[in-house]
């Protein structure tokens, strides 16, 4: 490995034989997901889970037969969803490889029936839920990877390549006879030219490679200097507990030895476990472990093993096993032992689902789990500064962007503006002066005739527009979940020429010959910032509540007679409970009412199972002294149509020639909703022909397109008026709805389909 890529690997001094320094234990906490909406998928093992934004996508696996359904779990809404997929759907498989690149998921290999393995590559575009079988080619005379199961398959976002290592193949390539062979070959799948063609490469690796194995795990760790694959565990007839690094720039293998005490205590060797990367920590959970491991028996005689519920954590930057302290060690406070489960990461949380539980590897003793668990590894991140949504004569409505992985929020209030109650030293600090001077410079740079922002920190008259919430179709998935990924499917060209140069010149740079004065000024600003944080903490704060949502209307806060919520926080977290001054159980004797014309400061922190995260910046707002009622009429017109999400494909497409061109009509899918076509203050609007062309024609009475119109003022939307626009059947042909939209032309109904084939048994090692 070259020096740049080994920069973060500690150079152990073997002459120092002293004991390992005491390492503070990392606190983690298991929490079961309860009361999830919609039924969960069928339990299974050998399946895979991939996280994209807030979604965990689960597919494949087996349980007395292969399972082909695809399900999603929305981590914010705690909701199970079943999108309708289309395209070249792969055969049901287990013990395959799956990884994501952007909003696309790639799969490779797996077992499609006992003794029959595959080496096909499939791509799932999650913005459309469309599968396609990828065309693959090789370089020169090289052969593609052999069909296999139990291999590792990981993708580098940095290199846009997928890496395959090891697995188990059938040397006879006959599903009636099975001659298993463990492998340690290494292949690279170049995805840079996807979706046209993907290319297999078999690069030459350096150093001693790991032993052949299957049912191991691998993760990708990348930063500006390092790009490496971390391989752990597996089996080659016995359970393995070794750990390897592969430098993805030089393709050099390096085994990490655990003979130095500073590497910590490794977990028990295992296979069919899960491993995920959270920041620079690899968390390993579950799997099969040898029953005789702790009795110092010869590992080569392992004949019995069991599922484990143990958890390990490997620090990649420090090259050591980190000791973990579980928040609650009582029986039943964590998931029971399992193997063949799936794991995925959203934020700083690891999610595990299903898998099989067995004392011995015998079918009579194995049961597939159906529970979903979360491992909290860190407290939530700091929320952004609170924003004012609306100021009334006796209340304030505030909000902030949701924090990923937060179960709730702890909100506090204090009388007075932060800068008014600050000490004179704070107001004249170098940091304050520099910020003020920067604001004056920016104001001076404004062209003549421009006005500063109308949004005042006092918020006396500003009413922020309501944040647009993602609309959900009947399937329940938000439309804008993959909006960013959809935009990034095609790579935008880089700016060149003068425009690119100008853009580069705007980037702030640090001169190598930084003067001592600049360094001193920077140090002073850092000290002033720390002092400011200390003074903010010493301000007087009152509790508003521990709430679930990231917005609230505030008209009062708890008085001094109430016990501080900080002291009750652990109990509230333990019982997943919330407590707010707005709860009807509290009377005027328990709270202080907001005063007209008074300024108040706010701060908020996010909470999860491990406690509260850092406080946000302080924001100050003033309650309106004079309240003027302003009525703003906004009309919202919606057209009944099909909103993108997970509907079936349109059918019965017809093309009719017209004066304006070609008119297309088609049979809309079954999933229907109303789409907004106008929102504004005028009492009239025009719906474009493009929208009318996609409208759903209601056939319940006479053919008609349905519109809904509603008006809104500061109180909100009033009742909607629904109107039917009758259609001329001669001018606008109405497609006849197919009573069986999911049956292709010339196909058979489900009732007439032949009986399903017998279930195939799935029994990985």
């Amino acid at each position: 490995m070259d020096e740049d890529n080994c920069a973060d690997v500690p150079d152990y001094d073997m002459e120092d034989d002293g004991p390992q320094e005491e390492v503070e234990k990392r606190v983690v906490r298991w929490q079961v997901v309860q009361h999830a909406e919609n039924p969960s998928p069928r339990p299974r093992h050998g399946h895979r889970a991939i996280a994209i934004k807030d979604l965990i996508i689960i597919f494949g696996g087996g349980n007395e037969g292969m399972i082909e359904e695809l399900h999603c779990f929305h981590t914010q809404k705690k909701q199970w969803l079943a999108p309708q997929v289309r395209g070249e759907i792969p055969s049901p498989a287990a013990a395959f490889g799956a990884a994501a690149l952007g909003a696309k998921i790639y799969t490779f290999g797996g077992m499609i029936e006992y003794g029959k393995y595959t080496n096909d590559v499939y791509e799932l575009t999650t913005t459309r839920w469309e599968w396609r079988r990828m065309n693959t080619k090789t370089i020169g005379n090289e052969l593609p990877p052999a069909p296999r199961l139990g291999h590792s398959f990981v993708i580098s976002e940095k290199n846009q390549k997928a890496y395959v290592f090891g697995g188990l193949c059938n040397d006879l390539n006959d599903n009636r006879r099975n001659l298993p062979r463990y492998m340690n070959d290494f292949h690279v799948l170049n995805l840079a030219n996807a979706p046209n063609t993907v290319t297999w490469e078999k690069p030459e690796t350096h150093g001693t490679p790991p032993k052949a194995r299957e049912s191991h795990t691998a993760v990708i760790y990348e930063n500006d200097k390092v790009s490496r694959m971390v391989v752990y565990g597996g089996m080659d007839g016995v359970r393995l507990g070794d750990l390897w690094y592969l430098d993805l720039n030089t393709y050099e293998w390096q085994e990490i030895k655990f003979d130095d005490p500073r590497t910590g205590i490794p977990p028990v060797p295992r296979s069919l476990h899960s491993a995920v990367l959270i920041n620079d920590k690899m968390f390993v959970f579950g799997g099969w472990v040898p029953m005789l491991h702790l009795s110092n028996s010869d590992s080569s005689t392992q004949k019995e093993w069991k599922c484990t519920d143990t958890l390990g954590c490997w620090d990649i930057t420090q090259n050591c096993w980190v000791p973990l302290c579980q928040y609650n060690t009582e029986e039943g406070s964590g998931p029971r032992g399992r193997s063949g489960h799936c794991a995925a990461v959203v934020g700083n949380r690891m999610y595990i689902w299903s898998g099989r539980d067995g004392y011995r590897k015998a079918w009579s003793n194995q049961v597939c789990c159906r529970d979903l668990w979360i491992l909290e590894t860190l407290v939530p991140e700091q929320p952004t500064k609170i924003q004012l949504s609306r100021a009334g004569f006796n209340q304030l409505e505030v909000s902030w962007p949701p924090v990923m992985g937060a179960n709730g929020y702890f909100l506090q209030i204090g009388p007075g503006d932060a800068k008014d109650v600050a000490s004179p030293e704070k107001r004249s600090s170098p940091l304050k002066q520099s910020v003020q001077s920067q604001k004056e410079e920016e104001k001076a740079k404004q062209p003549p005739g421009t006005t500063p922002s109308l949004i005042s920190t006092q918020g006396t008259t500003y009413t922020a527009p309501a944040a647009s919430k993602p609309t959900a179709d009947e399937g329940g998935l938000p439309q804008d979940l993959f909006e960013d990924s959809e935009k990034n499917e095609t790579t935008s060209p880089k700016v060149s020429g003068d425009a690119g140069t100008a853009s580069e010149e705007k980037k702030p740079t640090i001169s190598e010959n930084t003067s001592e004065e600049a360094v001193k000024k920077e140090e002073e600003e850092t000290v002033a910032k720390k002092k400011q944080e200390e003074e903010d903490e010493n301000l007087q704060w009152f509790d508003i509540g521990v709430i679930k949502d990231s917005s609230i209307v505030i008209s009062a806060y708890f008085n001094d007679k109430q016990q501080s919520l900080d002291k009750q926080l652990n109990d509230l977290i333990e019982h997943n409970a919330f407590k707010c001054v707005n709860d009807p159980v509290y009377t005027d004797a328990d709270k202080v009412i907001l005063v007209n014309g008074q300024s108040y400061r706010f701060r908020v922190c996010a909470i999860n199972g491990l406690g509260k995260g850092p406080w946000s910046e302080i924001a100050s707002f003033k309650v309106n002294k004079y309240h003027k009622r302003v009525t703003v009429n906004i009309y919202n017109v919606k057209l009944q149509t099909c909103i993108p999400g997970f509907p079936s494909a349109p059918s019965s497409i017809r093309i009719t020639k017209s004066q304006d061109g070609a008119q297309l009509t088609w049979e809309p899918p079954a999933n229907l909703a109303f789409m907004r076509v106008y929102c504004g203050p005028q009492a009239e609007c025009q719906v474009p022909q493009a929208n009318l062309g996609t409208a759903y024609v209601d056939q319940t009475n006479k053919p008609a397109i349905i519109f809904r119109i509603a008006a809104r003022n500061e109180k909100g939307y009033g009742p909607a008026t629904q109107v039917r626009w009758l259609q001329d059947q001669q001018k606008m042909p109405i497609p006849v709805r197919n009573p069986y939209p999911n049956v292709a032309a010339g196909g058979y109904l489900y009732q007439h389909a032949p009986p399903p084939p017998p279930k195939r048994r799935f029994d990985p090692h």
Side-chain angles (χ1 to χ4, degrees), residues 30 58 92 217 260 264 293 322 354 380 392 430 455 579-580 602 630 669 672:
W30 285 109
I58 295 172
T217 54
D260 191 291
H293 178 77
V322 178
S354 198
I455 301 177
K579 183 177 180 179
C580 180
F602 297 88
V630 179
L672 299 171

Side-chain angles (χ1 to χ4, degrees), residues 268-269 290-302:
V268 180
M291 292 185 62
L292 303 179
H293 178 77
L294 298 178
S295 60
N296 296 324
S297 299
D298 184 3
S299 61
S300 62
T301 63
Q302 295 177 16

Side-chain angles (χ1 to χ4, degrees), residues 84-104:
Q84 183 174 349
V85 297
R86 58 182 179 176
E88 302 174 271
I89 302 174
S91 301
F96 55 95
L101 180 62
K104 294 184 177 181

Side-chain angles (χ1 to χ4, degrees), residues 424-441:
E425 292 83 359
K426 178 181 175 184
R427 288 197 294 268
S428 60
S429 64
L431 176 63
K432 208 73 175 180
Q433 293 174 358
S434 62
V435 172
Q436 184 66 27
S437 61
Q438 184 179 0
K439 289 182 178 179
E440 293 175 358
E441 291 177 3

